[in-house]
Amino acid sequence: MTGAGGRKRARPGEGARLRTELLAAAERILDADGEEAVTVRGVAAAVGVTTPSVYLHFASRLELLHAVCLGVWDELGRCMSDAASDVDDPFSALHRRCATYIAFGLEHPLRYSLVMNGRATEASRQVAADCFRYLAEAVEPCVAAGALRGDVAELTRAICAGLHGSVALLAQQPPETWPRDLDAYATNTASLVAFGAAALGRLPDTSATPDSGTLAGLFTTPPATGTASGRPGSSTP
């Protein structure tokens, strides 16, 4: 028997193959025409099945969209791990993971926004948990080595906030307004986030309003001769 578009009905056990085809079709439509073009009916037509066949695999259009996004985000952990695979220094490894996170998010801005800023779904929760884990894996050895000071979870939350903000800021804007050199943007922002995390455990108590010049003096005092350059891989403050 055949379904819509002349496609043969799936035999028992072929459901996984159909799900893969539906995701591939949704991905093509999303990349070509944007989020609004991804509809259950349109994806069904592209694959050659009936609309109810799509609902057997995805309970809603939103679930379909998030599944497409998850397929891309599954690559994030591998990319972050690969980026730091040849680095022995834990702080440099953290910096590379941060830069990779930003670059990856900007390579997939629409999918990033759909998952991170969409309504709470299992896909969104999984992505958030995975991203936290990928970064915590880099933060923990930094704390063990003394490059970062503080609680691993708290430091990771602060780093996640900075990285997410740097991607979301651009993902919400048209690409023509983005910085021309995205590699430099990713590297510089990763430095801001990573060295900011390193500063958290070294600054005086900032819970109260500081005296005039107290904090400014920390950053305006000329460095002593022979101090670290401030680049990832040199000694942290």
Side-chain angles (χ1 to χ4, degrees), residues 30 64-74 110-111 114-115:
L30 178 65
L64 173 61
L65 282 168
H66 277 248
V68 171
C69 296
L70 269 180
V72 175
W73 279 86
D74 282 343
L110 178 57
R111 301 179 197 191
L114 283 173
V115 174

Side-chain angles (χ1 to χ4, degrees), residues 124-143:
S124 296
R125 286 188 289 270
Q126 180 179 329
V127 166
D130 286 347
C131 290
F132 187 91
R133 175 169 54 83
Y134 300 150
L135 289 166
E137 289 173 354
V139 169
E140 188 170 7
C142 288
V143 172

